[in-house]
Amino acid sequence: MRISKLFLSVILSILLLTQTSWAQMASTEALFEHPVTLSSKEKVIQFTEREDVAKILKQMDVDSQMIEARVASMTDEEASQIVHKIDTMPAGSSAVGSLIGAVVFVFVLLVITDILGFTKVFDFTRSVR
């Protein structure tokens, strides 16, 4: 019985804490203007010109002219695959962070239930009952 409760709490915590954020800032003008369609290659170039991406590429000693040359030599299919990966990347999420968060959540949950007297998983807690 205790193992099934532990198993259920682990599964529920993993399901609840592993959601990723897809949020981004959008101005009012951007919401109401008609979208301009860019080609896949232009979207890749636009992504590499972002401040945070350009900073990382500069740290890696990657020249922006070399990026433009390589993107120009890509096929449309390759560029669209890269754009798809860029569009589907979660914002600020990693599997390790989610796993650590789930483990911490389960630990805190079990400590609280031990203190309240509903479970007895850890020997170092004292029940208030």
Side-chain angles (χ1 to χ4, degrees):
M1 181 81 168
R2 193 169 85 182
I3 293 174
S4 64
K5 286 181 183 179
L6 178 65
F7 180 75
L8 180 64
S9 64
V10 168
I11 295 299
L12 285 176
S13 63
I14 289 173
L15 290 175
L16 292 174
L17 294 176
T18 57
Q19 295 185 8
T20 57
S21 172
W22 299 95
Q24 66 182 18
M25 295 298 294
S27 67
T28 306
E29 295 83 18
L31 292 174
F32 290 105
E33 71 181 23
H34 297 290
V36 177
T37 57
L38 298 172
S39 72
S40 296
K41 291 180 183 183
E42 291 171 339
K43 287 182 182 180
V44 172
I45 293 294
Q46 189 178 47
F47 177 75
T48 59
E49 291 173 349
R50 283 183 23 194
E51 184 179 330
D52 54 340
V53 176
K55 182 180 174 185
I56 293 171
L57 291 172
K58 187 175 181 180
Q59 289 174 351
M60 297 171 64
D61 293 328
V62 177
D63 186 29
S64 62
Q65 293 175 347
M66 183 178 70
I67 294 172
E68 291 176 8
R70 289 198 176 194
V71 170
S73 67
M74 286 181 181
T75 64
D76 289 334
E77 183 179 323
E78 291 171 335
S80 65
Q81 287 176 353
I82 291 175
V83 168
H84 176 70
K85 287 181 182 179
I86 290 171
D87 289 341
T88 58
M89 285 191 307
S93 175
S94 70
V96 175
S98 297
L99 183 62
I100 291 172
V103 169
V104 169
F105 175 75
V106 169
F107 176 74
V108 170
L109 181 71
L110 290 175
V111 167
I112 290 172
T113 56
D114 271 8
I115 292 172
L116 294 176
F118 297 124
T119 61
K120 186 61 182 157
V121 178
F122 301 112
D123 293 332
F124 60 86
T125 59
R126 295 170 87 184
S127 175
V128 293
R129 289 186 177 185

